[in-house]
Amino acid sequence: MNALGQQKQTIRNRILGVVEAASRPLTGKEVARAAGIPYKPTIDALNKLHDYGKVRRIGAKFTARWAVNRSEEVDDLLTRIMLSMSRQTGASARKK
């Protein structure tokens, strides 16, 4: 990876850190301010993180708020619930 690629990755990591630490969805300007990065590179990084599935955009383009994409956690929780239910169902069937 060249120096420019490393710089972009560092910016994305800083942006992701701000979004992960937030207690609520943030506007692009709030993310930029908290990360200490100008607005345009912040939006570019947020859009790339969105493409990677790391963050989600809530709302329309110019009024959007950004939050961590928790779909992986939800999928994991649903998988655990379904496995638990299938074990319980299997145990009930064996008792009969």
Side-chain angles (χ1 to χ4, degrees):
M1 184 181 297
N2 62 23
L4 181 59
Q6 288 177 335
Q7 181 182 11
K8 287 182 178 182
Q9 187 63 38
T10 301
I11 290 172
R12 286 184 205 132
N13 287 337
R14 285 174 57 189
I15 297 298
L16 185 58
V18 167
V19 175
E20 286 176 334
S23 60
R24 61 175 176 78
L26 301 173
T27 66
K29 288 181 182 180
E30 290 171 325
V31 174
R33 194 174 312 118
I37 298 172
Y39 178 74
K40 174 67 171 129
T42 297
I43 292 300
D44 291 343
L46 285 167
N47 283 321
K48 189 55 82 172
L49 289 166
H50 182 263
D51 291 346
Y52 293 152
K54 299 290 185 181
V55 298
R56 61 189 167 101
R57 184 174 63 209
I58 303 164
K61 187 172 183 176
F62 294 108
T63 59
R65 294 189 179 270
W66 299 88
V68 174
N69 189 358
R70 301 261 188 232
S71 65
E72 293 169 0
E73 292 175 16
V74 171
D75 289 346
D76 186 48
L77 176 62
L78 289 173
T79 300
R80 284 186 280 147
I81 290 169
M82 290 174 64
L83 284 172
S84 175
M85 290 173 64
S86 69
R87 287 183 195 130
Q88 290 171 358
T89 304
S92 296
R94 283 189 293 262
K95 288 181 183 177
K96 291 181 179 181

